[in-house]
Amino acid sequence: MSVSDMFIVLQGVLTADQDIREEIRKVVQALEQTAREILTLLQGVHQGAGFQDIPKKCQKAREHFGTVRTQLESLKTKFPADQYYRFHEHWRFVLQRLVFLAAFLVYLESETLVTREAVAEILGIEADRERGFHLDIEDYLSGVLTLASELARLAVNSVTAGDYARPLRISTFINELDSGFRLLNLKNDSLRKRYDGLKYDVKKIEEVVYDLSIRGLSKEATVSAGGEK
Amino acid sequence: GSGGFRKRKHDNFPHGQRRDEKENVNPSSALMTSFKSFQLELDTRHDKYERLVKLSRDITIESKRTIFLLHRFASAPNGEEILNESEVKLDAVRRKIKQVAQELMGEDMYQFHRAISPGLQEYVEAVSFQYFIRTRSLISVEEINKQLTFAAEDREETTNTTSNSHDQEPHAWSLKVTPVDYLLGVADLTGELMRLCISSVGNGDIDTPFELSQFLRQIYDGFTFIGNTGPYEVSKKLYTLKQSLAKVENACYTLKVRGSEIPKHMLADVFSTKTELIDQEECL
């Protein structure tokens, strides 16, 4: 085989590779669009009136995740199943965003942290690598960290909307999350950088709780919350 | 790294511990249990990555040494001996690559590709350099990958350790050099060939430079054919490749023009000044 023949073969391989990437990019663009729509929908909870119809918004968001599932389904067909990490970079960002949205949705519904398996189920993908297109653990953790900053914002806005009990519940949740993350030995990578931001979210929420408690608003909140139950 | 950070964080925020006591963070809650399993998973992954980085560095060092050894080939009278010695060295490198293949068994190779890519490129460079010296042609990816298929030596041990999965796993490991790693390795090879060309002139060898310029031109044509189809690293190497080619072509030019008038033993002087000039241009 002559040198030029070899390079012709290699060029063919590289072109095929580029075609795959192009196909992936198209699907990822559609996914990003859906993710933005879901985000817009869930952002509604930050507005004063939004606190009333959280269940309705969650319902709608869940419907949108149906679109996500079909889009991810088509993404799976665009590349060989055993080469997930070869093209990982293309969907890494959008997948982290979708994890965040799913986690936010589940938090609004049940005030618990979504498990990795549950996210995988919402997105219609697998939880571990052996069984096909899966959710990488680092992407899951990144999505969860985004949730933390969103909740810090939610704590502030729920006080504005007169919901004084929510920040206390968020505070408990974030503290548990913080303890969880402190168990991990993170490498000096993007996940570590995101994790470094968690303490500011924790701090922000603590400040909100402090403000509420020195004004006696937290007691009021617990009493009224107890009354509701 | 992270250990130091964690410690510092505790020092700066001593209330963190108090907070844990105050809030009822249950160490056996569902969330904490799943994070404990995440810790295990991440640690396992990082450990594997570090082991692969170490193997890759060993492969790089050994391959570099092989290349240095092969550079002595042209001037040495005992050429065959040096080639044999390089073969022994490359076998040692391949044993390391076998360990890499074992680490990667059942994994997605691309997940750890960044850890091993530099080593593989250097190996491609060494093995193609040796192949060129032997056969005066370019080794193909298939040829390289064929040498990276390993049969299990100690069959019994492997059946014991992988007894549950040995039905579908053959007793062999293989590692595939990706086309991009191959291209980058070949681009590095051209640098070595340029060095070989200049030093062979120093030894009074008049034929090798012309052969080399022919060969380098073919490779350069190949790379220009690929152009920007390939990833960014490949196009970056194209620039260096162009410079290497220019040096070799200039060497051939000088040989042609002045070879007839200058006695062979003085050619070395002509080239030592010539190459310095090119090096200076490169710095600019």
Side-chain angles (χ1 to χ4, degrees), chain A residues 3 6 11 18 84-86 116 129 136 138 175-176 178 180 182-186 196 206, chain B residues 2 5-6 19 23 29 31 35 38-39 41 43 45 106-108 110-111 138 218 222 229:
Chain A
V3 173
M6 275 184 217
Q11 209 267 345
Q18 270 196 335
Y84 180 92
Y85 284 101
R86 185 159 172 206
R116 196 171 154 202
R129 198 178 68 80
D136 188 83
E138 292 183 28
N175 276 329
E176 196 176 3
D178 188 38
R182 243 180 287 154
L183 284 179
L184 306 178
N185 310 307
L186 296 176
D196 288 349
E206 277 180 356
Chain B
S2 58
F5 167 76
R6 283 156 62 86
R19 191 178 62 213
E23 301 291 339
S29 69
L31 190 144
F35 269 83
F38 296 157
Q39 179 196 45
E41 193 176 336
D43 285 351
R45 180 186 286 190
E107 301 281 350
D108 186 334
Y110 285 94
Q111 189 178 358
L138 184 64
Q218 282 177 8
T229 323

mmCIF file of all heavy atoms in Angstrom, chain A residues 3 6 11 18 84-86 116 129 136 138 175-176 178 180 182-186 196 206, chain B residues 2 5-6 19 23 29 31 35 38-39 41 43 45 106-108 110-111 138 218 222 229:
data_model
loop_
_atom_site.group_PDB
_atom_site.id
_atom_site.type_symbol
_atom_site.label_atom_id
_atom_site.label_comp_id
_atom_site.label_asym_id
_atom_site.label_seq_id
_atom_site.Cartn_x
_atom_site.Cartn_y
_atom_site.Cartn_z
ATOM 1 N N VAL A 3 1.952 5.275 0.195
ATOM 2 C CA VAL A 3 1.669 6.299 1.202
ATOM 3 C C VAL A 3 0.373 7.033 0.863
ATOM 4 O O VAL A 3 -0.482 7.256 1.716
ATOM 5 C CB VAL A 3 2.845 7.283 1.299
ATOM 6 C CG1 VAL A 3 2.497 8.439 2.215
ATOM 7 C CG2 VAL A 3 4.088 6.574 1.799
ATOM 8 N N MET A 6 -2.727 5.085 1.700
ATOM 9 C CA MET A 6 -2.993 5.082 3.138
ATOM 10 C C MET A 6 -3.703 6.352 3.562
ATOM 11 O O MET A 6 -4.645 6.327 4.343
ATOM 12 C CB MET A 6 -1.674 4.992 3.899
ATOM 13 C CG MET A 6 -1.165 3.596 4.077
ATOM 14 S SD MET A 6 0.308 3.692 5.077
ATOM 15 C CE MET A 6 1.266 2.438 4.311
ATOM 16 N N GLN A 11 -8.342 9.603 5.211
ATOM 17 C CA GLN A 11 -9.225 10.738 4.940
ATOM 18 C C GLN A 11 -10.677 10.286 4.952
ATOM 19 O O GLN A 11 -11.546 10.978 5.501
ATOM 20 C CB GLN A 11 -8.849 11.357 3.590
ATOM 21 C CG GLN A 11 -9.133 12.841 3.474
ATOM 22 C CD GLN A 11 -10.494 13.115 2.888
ATOM 23 O OE1 GLN A 11 -11.104 12.225 2.322
ATOM 24 N NE2 GLN A 11 -10.957 14.338 3.048
ATOM 25 N N GLN A 18 -16.599 13.035 10.767
ATOM 26 C CA GLN A 18 -17.198 14.377 10.737
ATOM 27 C C GLN A 18 -18.686 14.319 10.465
ATOM 28 O O GLN A 18 -19.462 15.094 11.040
ATOM 29 C CB GLN A 18 -16.525 15.208 9.647
ATOM 30 C CG GLN A 18 -15.317 15.962 10.148
ATOM 31 C CD GLN A 18 -14.921 17.058 9.187
ATOM 32 O OE1 GLN A 18 -15.203 16.991 7.993
ATOM 33 N NE2 GLN A 18 -14.264 18.067 9.702
ATOM 34 N N TYR A 84 -19.618 5.821 23.075
ATOM 35 C CA TYR A 84 -20.257 6.911 23.821
ATOM 36 C C TYR A 84 -19.274 8.032 24.142
ATOM 37 O O TYR A 84 -19.521 9.196 23.851
ATOM 38 C CB TYR A 84 -20.832 6.333 25.110
ATOM 39 C CG TYR A 84 -21.538 7.330 26.001
ATOM 40 C CD1 TYR A 84 -22.906 7.542 25.877
ATOM 41 C CD2 TYR A 84 -20.857 8.031 26.980
ATOM 42 C CE1 TYR A 84 -23.563 8.438 26.698
ATOM 43 C CE2 TYR A 84 -21.496 8.934 27.797
ATOM 44 C CZ TYR A 84 -22.856 9.129 27.652
ATOM 45 O OH TYR A 84 -23.487 10.028 28.468
ATOM 46 N N TYR A 85 -18.139 7.657 24.726
ATOM 47 C CA TYR A 85 -17.216 8.691 25.202
ATOM 48 C C TYR A 85 -16.441 9.367 24.076
ATOM 49 O O TYR A 85 -15.831 10.396 24.274
ATOM 50 C CB TYR A 85 -16.251 8.110 26.236
ATOM 51 C CG TYR A 85 -16.922 7.925 27.557
ATOM 52 C CD1 TYR A 85 -17.373 6.684 27.968
ATOM 53 C CD2 TYR A 85 -17.169 9.017 28.371
ATOM 54 C CE1 TYR A 85 -18.033 6.528 29.176
ATOM 55 C CE2 TYR A 85 -17.829 8.882 29.570
ATOM 56 C CZ TYR A 85 -18.253 7.629 29.968
ATOM 57 O OH TYR A 85 -18.913 7.489 31.150
ATOM 58 N N ARG A 86 -16.497 8.787 22.914
ATOM 59 C CA ARG A 86 -15.822 9.417 21.797
ATOM 60 C C ARG A 86 -16.513 10.730 21.422
ATOM 61 O O ARG A 86 -15.878 11.708 21.051
ATOM 62 C CB ARG A 86 -15.857 8.451 20.616
ATOM 63 C CG ARG A 86 -15.082 8.970 19.470
ATOM 64 C CD ARG A 86 -14.707 7.846 18.571
ATOM 65 N NE ARG A 86 -14.124 8.372 17.378
ATOM 66 C CZ ARG A 86 -14.141 7.745 16.222
ATOM 67 N NH1 ARG A 86 -14.704 6.566 16.145
ATOM 68 N NH2 ARG A 86 -13.578 8.272 15.191
ATOM 69 N N ARG A 116 -29.946 8.976 40.645
ATOM 70 C CA ARG A 116 -29.390 8.850 39.308
ATOM 71 C C ARG A 116 -30.280 7.954 38.438
ATOM 72 O O ARG A 116 -30.507 8.233 37.266
ATOM 73 C CB ARG A 116 -28.002 8.232 39.451
ATOM 74 C CG ARG A 116 -27.127 8.367 38.261
ATOM 75 C CD ARG A 116 -25.780 7.913 38.710
ATOM 76 N NE ARG A 116 -24.981 7.414 37.626
ATOM 77 C CZ ARG A 116 -23.964 6.598 37.794
ATOM 78 N NH1 ARG A 116 -23.660 6.173 39.005
ATOM 79 N NH2 ARG A 116 -23.248 6.209 36.778
ATOM 80 N N ARG A 129 -23.231 2.061 32.384
ATOM 81 C CA ARG A 129 -22.634 2.048 31.070
ATOM 82 C C ARG A 129 -22.895 0.759 30.287
ATOM 83 O O ARG A 129 -23.027 0.778 29.064
ATOM 84 C CB ARG A 129 -21.128 2.246 31.215
ATOM 85 C CG ARG A 129 -20.411 2.688 29.961
ATOM 86 C CD ARG A 129 -18.961 2.897 30.263
ATOM 87 N NE ARG A 129 -18.286 1.650 30.556
ATOM 88 C CZ ARG A 129 -17.873 0.790 29.643
ATOM 89 N NH1 ARG A 129 -18.068 1.051 28.377
ATOM 90 N NH2 ARG A 129 -17.270 -0.330 29.975
ATOM 91 N N ASP A 136 -23.587 9.686 32.597
ATOM 92 C CA ASP A 136 -22.299 9.664 33.277
ATOM 93 C C ASP A 136 -22.450 10.285 34.661
ATOM 94 O O ASP A 136 -23.170 11.263 34.843
ATOM 95 C CB ASP A 136 -21.276 10.457 32.454
ATOM 96 C CG ASP A 136 -19.876 10.311 33.007
ATOM 97 O OD1 ASP A 136 -19.236 9.305 32.682
ATOM 98 O OD2 ASP A 136 -19.444 11.184 33.770
ATOM 99 N N GLU A 138 -20.487 12.045 36.480
ATOM 100 C CA GLU A 138 -20.049 13.430 36.640
ATOM 101 C C GLU A 138 -21.090 14.395 36.086
ATOM 102 O O GLU A 138 -21.290 15.485 36.626
ATOM 103 C CB GLU A 138 -18.692 13.630 35.957
ATOM 104 C CG GLU A 138 -17.601 12.870 36.693
ATOM 105 C CD GLU A 138 -16.221 13.097 36.104
ATOM 106 O OE1 GLU A 138 -15.989 14.163 35.530
ATOM 107 O OE2 GLU A 138 -15.395 12.185 36.234
ATOM 108 N N ASN A 175 -28.122 21.498 53.024
ATOM 109 C CA ASN A 175 -27.111 21.037 53.973
ATOM 110 C C ASN A 175 -26.806 19.556 53.787
ATOM 111 O O ASN A 175 -25.648 19.142 53.862
ATOM 112 C CB ASN A 175 -27.581 21.287 55.410
ATOM 113 C CG ASN A 175 -27.274 22.699 55.832
ATOM 114 O OD1 ASN A 175 -26.289 23.284 55.380
ATOM 115 N ND2 ASN A 175 -28.118 23.261 56.660
ATOM 116 N N GLU A 176 -27.837 18.804 53.531
ATOM 117 C CA GLU A 176 -27.615 17.374 53.326
ATOM 118 C C GLU A 176 -26.820 17.154 52.044
ATOM 119 O O GLU A 176 -25.901 16.339 51.992
ATOM 120 C CB GLU A 176 -28.956 16.642 53.271
ATOM 121 C CG GLU A 176 -28.772 15.147 53.452
ATOM 122 C CD GLU A 176 -30.095 14.405 53.494
ATOM 123 O OE1 GLU A 176 -31.136 15.051 53.322
ATOM 124 O OE2 GLU A 176 -30.053 13.177 53.665
ATOM 125 N N ASP A 178 -24.746 19.241 50.708
ATOM 126 C CA ASP A 178 -23.372 19.673 50.965
ATOM 127 C C ASP A 178 -22.588 18.557 51.674
ATOM 128 O O ASP A 178 -21.452 18.262 51.306
ATOM 129 C CB ASP A 178 -23.410 20.945 51.813
ATOM 130 C CG ASP A 178 -22.037 21.567 51.959
ATOM 131 O OD1 ASP A 178 -21.278 21.550 50.970
ATOM 132 O OD2 ASP A 178 -21.718 22.049 53.059
ATOM 133 N N GLY A 180 -23.189 15.458 51.490
ATOM 134 C CA GLY A 180 -22.992 14.406 50.492
ATOM 135 C C GLY A 180 -21.791 14.706 49.624
ATOM 136 O O GLY A 180 -20.907 13.863 49.445
ATOM 137 N N ARG A 182 -19.329 16.522 50.274
ATOM 138 C CA ARG A 182 -18.063 16.520 51.002
ATOM 139 C C ARG A 182 -17.484 15.113 51.132
ATOM 140 O O ARG A 182 -16.322 14.959 51.482
ATOM 141 C CB ARG A 182 -18.247 17.167 52.372
ATOM 142 C CG ARG A 182 -17.383 18.419 52.470
ATOM 143 C CD ARG A 182 -17.522 19.096 53.788
ATOM 144 N NE ARG A 182 -18.799 19.772 53.915
ATOM 145 C CZ ARG A 182 -19.387 20.016 55.082
ATOM 146 N NH1 ARG A 182 -18.823 19.591 56.201
ATOM 147 N NH2 ARG A 182 -20.523 20.657 55.132
ATOM 148 N N LEU A 183 -18.289 14.117 50.853
ATOM 149 C CA LEU A 183 -17.771 12.745 50.879
ATOM 150 C C LEU A 183 -16.896 12.457 49.663
ATOM 151 O O LEU A 183 -16.101 11.527 49.664
ATOM 152 C CB LEU A 183 -18.936 11.752 50.878
ATOM 153 C CG LEU A 183 -19.710 11.547 52.159
ATOM 154 C CD1 LEU A 183 -20.823 10.555 51.914
ATOM 155 C CD2 LEU A 183 -18.803 11.043 53.262
ATOM 156 N N LEU A 184 -17.081 13.242 48.615
ATOM 157 C CA LEU A 184 -16.406 12.910 47.349
ATOM 158 C C LEU A 184 -14.990 13.461 47.318
ATOM 159 O O LEU A 184 -14.729 14.552 47.808
ATOM 160 C CB LEU A 184 -17.186 13.482 46.168
ATOM 161 C CG LEU A 184 -18.663 13.108 46.086
ATOM 162 C CD1 LEU A 184 -19.298 13.784 44.895
ATOM 163 C CD2 LEU A 184 -18.838 11.610 45.994
ATOM 164 N N ASN A 185 -14.093 12.686 46.735
ATOM 165 C CA ASN A 185 -12.730 13.172 46.504
ATOM 166 C C ASN A 185 -12.668 13.627 45.051
ATOM 167 O O ASN A 185 -12.434 12.832 44.162
ATOM 168 C CB ASN A 185 -11.706 12.062 46.728
ATOM 169 C CG ASN A 185 -11.922 11.374 48.052
ATOM 170 O OD1 ASN A 185 -11.981 12.033 49.080
ATOM 171 N ND2 ASN A 185 -12.068 10.076 48.031
ATOM 172 N N LEU A 186 -12.885 14.918 44.865
ATOM 173 C CA LEU A 186 -12.962 15.389 43.481
ATOM 174 C C LEU A 186 -11.590 15.728 42.957
ATOM 175 O O LEU A 186 -10.725 16.215 43.673
ATOM 176 C CB LEU A 186 -13.881 16.607 43.406
ATOM 177 C CG LEU A 186 -15.326 16.334 43.782
ATOM 178 C CD1 LEU A 186 -16.123 17.620 43.764
ATOM 179 C CD2 LEU A 186 -15.947 15.335 42.841
ATOM 180 N N ASP A 196 -17.020 23.990 44.051
ATOM 181 C CA ASP A 196 -16.527 25.124 44.833
ATOM 182 C C ASP A 196 -17.584 26.219 44.959
ATOM 183 O O ASP A 196 -17.538 27.025 45.882
ATOM 184 C CB ASP A 196 -15.254 25.698 44.186
ATOM 185 C CG ASP A 196 -14.068 24.772 44.369
ATOM 186 O OD1 ASP A 196 -14.201 23.815 45.154
ATOM 187 O OD2 ASP A 196 -13.025 25.002 43.735
ATOM 188 N N GLU A 206 -28.354 30.218 54.108
ATOM 189 C CA GLU A 206 -28.215 30.445 55.550
ATOM 190 C C GLU A 206 -28.563 31.882 55.908
ATOM 191 O O GLU A 206 -29.180 32.144 56.946
ATOM 192 C CB GLU A 206 -26.793 30.129 55.999
ATOM 193 C CG GLU A 206 -26.589 28.654 56.262
ATOM 194 C CD GLU A 206 -25.175 28.330 56.710
ATOM 195 O OE1 GLU A 206 -24.347 29.273 56.732
ATOM 196 O OE2 GLU A 206 -24.918 27.175 57.021
ATOM 197 N N SER B 2 -7.270 18.149 46.016
ATOM 198 C CA SER B 2 -8.552 18.292 46.675
ATOM 199 C C SER B 2 -8.419 18.087 48.182
ATOM 200 O O SER B 2 -9.150 18.685 48.951
ATOM 201 C CB SER B 2 -9.539 17.295 46.088
ATOM 202 O OG SER B 2 -9.039 15.992 46.247
ATOM 203 N N PHE B 5 -7.522 21.271 49.797
ATOM 204 C CA PHE B 5 -8.675 22.182 49.741
ATOM 205 C C PHE B 5 -9.666 21.871 50.841
ATOM 206 O O PHE B 5 -10.161 22.737 51.524
ATOM 207 C CB PHE B 5 -9.346 22.075 48.374
ATOM 208 C CG PHE B 5 -10.695 22.731 48.340
ATOM 209 C CD1 PHE B 5 -10.808 24.100 48.281
ATOM 210 C CD2 PHE B 5 -11.822 21.947 48.421
ATOM 211 C CE1 PHE B 5 -12.047 24.693 48.279
ATOM 212 C CE2 PHE B 5 -13.064 22.539 48.425
ATOM 213 C CZ PHE B 5 -13.175 23.913 48.354
ATOM 214 N N ARG B 6 -9.932 20.590 51.014
ATOM 215 C CA ARG B 6 -10.924 20.195 52.003
ATOM 216 C C ARG B 6 -10.501 20.617 53.398
ATOM 217 O O ARG B 6 -11.301 21.085 54.187
ATOM 218 C CB ARG B 6 -11.129 18.688 51.943
ATOM 219 C CG ARG B 6 -11.994 18.287 50.753
ATOM 220 C CD ARG B 6 -11.713 16.856 50.379
ATOM 221 N NE ARG B 6 -12.055 15.965 51.467
ATOM 222 C CZ ARG B 6 -13.272 15.482 51.668
ATOM 223 N NH1 ARG B 6 -14.251 15.805 50.882
ATOM 224 N NH2 ARG B 6 -13.509 14.664 52.667
ATOM 225 N N ARG B 19 -22.725 23.034 62.230
ATOM 226 C CA ARG B 19 -23.946 22.993 61.461
ATOM 227 C C ARG B 19 -24.399 21.534 61.261
ATOM 228 O O ARG B 19 -25.559 21.217 61.396
ATOM 229 C CB ARG B 19 -23.714 23.633 60.095
ATOM 230 C CG ARG B 19 -24.993 23.872 59.329
ATOM 231 C CD ARG B 19 -24.680 24.544 58.025
ATOM 232 N NE ARG B 19 -23.840 23.698 57.208
ATOM 233 C CZ ARG B 19 -22.927 24.146 56.371
ATOM 234 N NH1 ARG B 19 -22.712 25.435 56.261
ATOM 235 N NH2 ARG B 19 -22.211 23.305 55.653
ATOM 236 N N GLU B 23 -28.025 20.546 62.339
ATOM 237 C CA GLU B 23 -28.993 19.991 61.401
ATOM 238 C C GLU B 23 -28.947 18.480 61.528
ATOM 239 O O GLU B 23 -27.890 17.899 61.777
ATOM 240 C CB GLU B 23 -28.618 20.394 59.963
ATOM 241 C CG GLU B 23 -28.565 21.877 59.724
ATOM 242 C CD GLU B 23 -29.933 22.530 59.772
ATOM 243 O OE1 GLU B 23 -30.928 21.804 59.595
ATOM 244 O OE2 GLU B 23 -29.979 23.742 60.022
ATOM 245 N N SER B 29 -28.880 8.270 55.613
ATOM 246 C CA SER B 29 -30.045 8.587 54.793
ATOM 247 C C SER B 29 -29.817 8.122 53.357
ATOM 248 O O SER B 29 -28.687 7.817 52.968
ATOM 249 C CB SER B 29 -30.298 10.088 54.802
ATOM 250 O OG SER B 29 -29.271 10.740 54.110
ATOM 251 N N LEU B 31 -29.818 9.767 50.664
ATOM 252 C CA LEU B 31 -28.914 10.645 49.925
ATOM 253 C C LEU B 31 -27.462 10.345 50.273
ATOM 254 O O LEU B 31 -26.609 10.226 49.390
ATOM 255 C CB LEU B 31 -29.245 12.102 50.257
ATOM 256 C CG LEU B 31 -28.585 13.184 49.423
ATOM 257 C CD1 LEU B 31 -29.544 14.335 49.221
ATOM 258 C CD2 LEU B 31 -27.312 13.698 50.079
ATOM 259 N N PHE B 35 -24.410 8.967 47.874
ATOM 260 C CA PHE B 35 -23.158 9.699 47.692
ATOM 261 C C PHE B 35 -21.958 8.861 48.086
ATOM 262 O O PHE B 35 -20.877 9.026 47.533
ATOM 263 C CB PHE B 35 -23.175 11.023 48.464
ATOM 264 C CG PHE B 35 -23.688 12.167 47.633
ATOM 265 C CD1 PHE B 35 -25.034 12.385 47.500
ATOM 266 C CD2 PHE B 35 -22.814 12.995 46.950
ATOM 267 C CE1 PHE B 35 -25.522 13.410 46.711
ATOM 268 C CE2 PHE B 35 -23.285 14.025 46.153
ATOM 269 C CZ PHE B 35 -24.642 14.234 46.037
ATOM 270 N N PHE B 38 -21.228 7.008 45.111
ATOM 271 C CA PHE B 38 -20.606 7.878 44.108
ATOM 272 C C PHE B 38 -19.120 8.044 44.412
ATOM 273 O O PHE B 38 -18.299 8.059 43.502
ATOM 274 C CB PHE B 38 -21.243 9.271 44.102
ATOM 275 C CG PHE B 38 -22.688 9.274 43.705
ATOM 276 C CD1 PHE B 38 -23.515 10.310 44.080
ATOM 277 C CD2 PHE B 38 -23.222 8.249 42.945
ATOM 278 C CE1 PHE B 38 -24.844 10.319 43.719
ATOM 279 C CE2 PHE B 38 -24.552 8.250 42.579
ATOM 280 C CZ PHE B 38 -25.373 9.295 42.973
ATOM 281 N N GLN B 39 -18.815 8.188 45.704
ATOM 282 C CA GLN B 39 -17.415 8.334 46.104
ATOM 283 C C GLN B 39 -16.594 7.149 45.608
ATOM 284 O O GLN B 39 -15.537 7.310 44.997
ATOM 285 C CB GLN B 39 -17.341 8.421 47.626
ATOM 286 C CG GLN B 39 -15.931 8.548 48.173
ATOM 287 C CD GLN B 39 -15.874 8.240 49.646
ATOM 288 O OE1 GLN B 39 -16.464 7.261 50.114
ATOM 289 N NE2 GLN B 39 -15.186 9.082 50.392
ATOM 290 N N GLU B 41 -17.331 5.078 43.192
ATOM 291 C CA GLU B 41 -17.276 5.022 41.738
ATOM 292 C C GLU B 41 -16.259 6.014 41.181
ATOM 293 O O GLU B 41 -15.446 5.678 40.306
ATOM 294 C CB GLU B 41 -18.670 5.309 41.174
ATOM 295 C CG GLU B 41 -18.792 4.973 39.705
ATOM 296 C CD GLU B 41 -20.208 5.177 39.180
ATOM 297 O OE1 GLU B 41 -21.159 5.124 39.982
ATOM 298 O OE2 GLU B 41 -20.336 5.390 37.970
ATOM 299 N N ASP B 43 -13.708 7.381 42.796
ATOM 300 C CA ASP B 43 -12.344 7.016 43.190
ATOM 301 C C ASP B 43 -11.799 5.917 42.290
ATOM 302 O O ASP B 43 -10.645 5.966 41.858
ATOM 303 C CB ASP B 43 -12.310 6.564 44.652
ATOM 304 C CG ASP B 43 -12.434 7.746 45.594
ATOM 305 O OD1 ASP B 43 -12.373 8.889 45.103
ATOM 306 O OD2 ASP B 43 -12.588 7.535 46.805
ATOM 307 N N ARG B 45 -12.623 5.279 39.257
ATOM 308 C CA ARG B 45 -12.364 5.839 37.930
ATOM 309 C C ARG B 45 -11.071 6.660 37.929
ATOM 310 O O ARG B 45 -10.242 6.517 37.033
ATOM 311 C CB ARG B 45 -13.544 6.720 37.534
ATOM 312 C CG ARG B 45 -13.392 7.350 36.178
ATOM 313 C CD ARG B 45 -14.515 8.315 35.902
ATOM 314 N NE ARG B 45 -15.777 7.656 35.606
ATOM 315 C CZ ARG B 45 -16.851 8.303 35.148
ATOM 316 N NH1 ARG B 45 -16.811 9.594 34.967
ATOM 317 N NH2 ARG B 45 -17.956 7.649 34.879
ATOM 318 N N GLY B 106 -13.179 -4.152 28.828
ATOM 319 C CA GLY B 106 -14.536 -3.923 29.305
ATOM 320 C C GLY B 106 -14.869 -2.461 29.515
ATOM 321 O O GLY B 106 -15.950 -2.120 29.942
ATOM 322 N N GLU B 107 -13.928 -1.557 29.235
ATOM 323 C CA GLU B 107 -14.190 -0.129 29.370
ATOM 324 C C GLU B 107 -14.381 0.483 27.989
ATOM 325 O O GLU B 107 -14.033 -0.115 26.985
ATOM 326 C CB GLU B 107 -13.006 0.577 30.051
ATOM 327 C CG GLU B 107 -12.670 0.061 31.426
ATOM 328 C CD GLU B 107 -13.612 0.620 32.472
ATOM 329 O OE1 GLU B 107 -14.392 1.540 32.157
ATOM 330 O OE2 GLU B 107 -13.564 0.106 33.606
ATOM 331 N N ASP B 108 -14.900 1.687 27.993
ATOM 332 C CA ASP B 108 -14.956 2.453 26.757
ATOM 333 C C ASP B 108 -13.601 3.124 26.603
ATOM 334 O O ASP B 108 -13.205 3.948 27.425
ATOM 335 C CB ASP B 108 -16.062 3.503 26.855
ATOM 336 C CG ASP B 108 -16.265 4.238 25.551
ATOM 337 O OD1 ASP B 108 -15.313 4.314 24.761
ATOM 338 O OD2 ASP B 108 -17.371 4.749 25.328
ATOM 339 N N TYR B 110 -12.416 5.363 24.795
ATOM 340 C CA TYR B 110 -12.352 6.817 24.640
ATOM 341 C C TYR B 110 -12.548 7.562 25.952
ATOM 342 O O TYR B 110 -12.199 8.723 26.072
ATOM 343 C CB TYR B 110 -13.375 7.280 23.607
ATOM 344 C CG TYR B 110 -12.928 6.957 22.215
ATOM 345 C CD1 TYR B 110 -13.320 5.804 21.587
ATOM 346 C CD2 TYR B 110 -12.063 7.815 21.555
ATOM 347 C CE1 TYR B 110 -12.879 5.496 20.314
ATOM 348 C CE2 TYR B 110 -11.617 7.519 20.287
ATOM 349 C CZ TYR B 110 -12.032 6.370 19.671
ATOM 350 O OH TYR B 110 -11.583 6.077 18.415
ATOM 351 N N GLN B 111 -13.092 6.870 26.941
ATOM 352 C CA GLN B 111 -13.247 7.525 28.232
ATOM 353 C C GLN B 111 -11.881 7.846 28.838
ATOM 354 O O GLN B 111 -11.721 8.839 29.541
ATOM 355 C CB GLN B 111 -14.037 6.605 29.171
ATOM 356 C CG GLN B 111 -14.433 7.304 30.454
ATOM 357 C CD GLN B 111 -15.241 6.416 31.357
ATOM 358 O OE1 GLN B 111 -15.557 5.276 31.038
ATOM 359 N NE2 GLN B 111 -15.589 6.951 32.505
ATOM 360 N N LEU B 138 6.335 3.458 4.692
ATOM 361 C CA LEU B 138 5.521 3.880 5.834
ATOM 362 C C LEU B 138 4.703 2.709 6.345
ATOM 363 O O LEU B 138 4.041 2.012 5.573
ATOM 364 C CB LEU B 138 4.597 5.028 5.408
ATOM 365 C CG LEU B 138 3.749 5.662 6.491
ATOM 366 C CD1 LEU B 138 4.611 6.343 7.536
ATOM 367 C CD2 LEU B 138 2.770 6.663 5.889
ATOM 368 N N GLN B 218 5.982 12.687 -0.010
ATOM 369 C CA GLN B 218 4.773 11.848 -0.075
ATOM 370 C C GLN B 218 3.895 12.046 1.155
ATOM 371 O O GLN B 218 2.674 12.186 1.054
ATOM 372 C CB GLN B 218 5.164 10.371 -0.169
ATOM 373 C CG GLN B 218 5.612 9.949 -1.551
ATOM 374 C CD GLN B 218 6.065 8.490 -1.559
ATOM 375 O OE1 GLN B 218 5.904 7.776 -0.589
ATOM 376 N NE2 GLN B 218 6.642 8.073 -2.659
ATOM 377 N N GLY B 222 0.178 13.671 1.535
ATOM 378 C CA GLY B 222 -0.900 12.991 2.252
ATOM 379 C C GLY B 222 -1.574 13.906 3.250
ATOM 380 O O GLY B 222 -2.803 13.983 3.302
ATOM 381 N N THR B 229 -9.831 18.326 7.322
ATOM 382 C CA THR B 229 -10.838 17.316 7.650
ATOM 383 C C THR B 229 -10.598 16.790 9.049
ATOM 384 O O THR B 229 -11.531 16.496 9.776
ATOM 385 C CB THR B 229 -10.773 16.128 6.665
ATOM 386 O OG1 THR B 229 -10.470 16.628 5.382
ATOM 387 C CG2 THR B 229 -12.057 15.358 6.641
#
